[in-house]
């Protein structure tokens, strides 16, 4: 039996696969509240021609609209790759309860630049389905070369 975290990370990986198929950097994100998926998103930077259209940013906007609130302090974000500083800053402002990411981002991950940017109450966990997320990213960039 798979864990709840693994189940939701698999859903985030499905979003990352969509990004891959659309020629976007394959990152997927979902936001969960009370064990229910509230929002799903994948990178849309190329399609929207918007460098801020990261999976996390789109998932945040959808979840905030769903709750008609500026806070996600009762939600968990599942994302396939560690958030960048921009996304981490936005997540901090939402006071999100928990962030779970599969793999670290060794170039742009927020922990490389400003590890304390998140809200002080936000819990962080990583490594869930890490190998799957890394494999998808490597495959994407190998195809770009």
């Amino acid at each position: 039996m798979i864990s709840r975290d693994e189940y939701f990370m698999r859903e985030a990986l499905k979003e990352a696969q969509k990004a891959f198929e659309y020629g976007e950097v394959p990152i997927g994100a979902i936001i969960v509240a009370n064990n229910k998926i509230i929002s799903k998103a994948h990178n849309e930077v190329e399609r929207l021609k918007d460098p801020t259209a990261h999976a996390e940013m789109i998932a945040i906007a959808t979840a905030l609209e769903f709750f008609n609130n500026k806070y996600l302090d009762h939600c968990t974000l599942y994302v396939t790759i560690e958030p960048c500083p921009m996304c981490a800053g936005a997540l901090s402002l939402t006071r999100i309860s928990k962030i779970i990411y599969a793999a670290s981002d060794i170039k742009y991950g927020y922990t490389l630049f400003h590890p304390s940017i998140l809200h002080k109450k936000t819990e962080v966990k990583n490594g869930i389905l890490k190998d799957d997320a890394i494999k998808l990213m490597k495959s994407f960039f190998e195809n770009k070369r």
Side-chain angles (χ1 to χ4, degrees), residues 46-113:
E46 301 302 325
R47 186 180 79 78
L48 298 175
K49 296 174 183 48
D50 177 355
T52 68
H54 292 193
E56 300 95 324
M57 299 297 280
I58 296 167
I60 289 167
T62 303
L64 293 173
E65 186 176 326
F66 178 85
F67 290 116
N68 192 29
N69 192 345
K70 65 180 182 177
Y71 298 121
L72 299 173
D73 53 357
H74 58 292
C75 296
T76 300
L77 168 76
Y78 290 84
V79 62
T80 57
I81 301 294
E82 175 186 0
C84 71
M86 173 187 69
C87 293
L91 289 160
S92 178
L93 293 172
T94 70
R95 300 181 184 172
I96 196 149
S97 178
K98 192 173 193 180
I99 298 169
I100 300 175
Y101 61 89
S104 297
D105 184 335
I106 60 171
K107 286 188 175 183
Y108 302 111
Y110 79 93
T111 56
L112 296 172
F113 301 97

Side-chain angles (χ1 to χ4, degrees), residues 5 11 24 35 37 41 68 80 85 90 107 120 123-124 127 140:
D5 288 344
E11 293 299 309
E24 300 277 356
N35 289 319
I37 297 173
N68 192 29
T80 57
K107 286 188 175 183
K120 62 185 176 187
E123 182 184 338
V124 178
F140 177 80

Side-chain angles (χ1 to χ4, degrees), residues 137-145:
M137 289 291 278
K138 281 185 177 180
S139 178
F140 177 80
F141 286 107
E142 284 171 2
N143 288 337
K144 289 289 181 190
R145 293 187 184 123

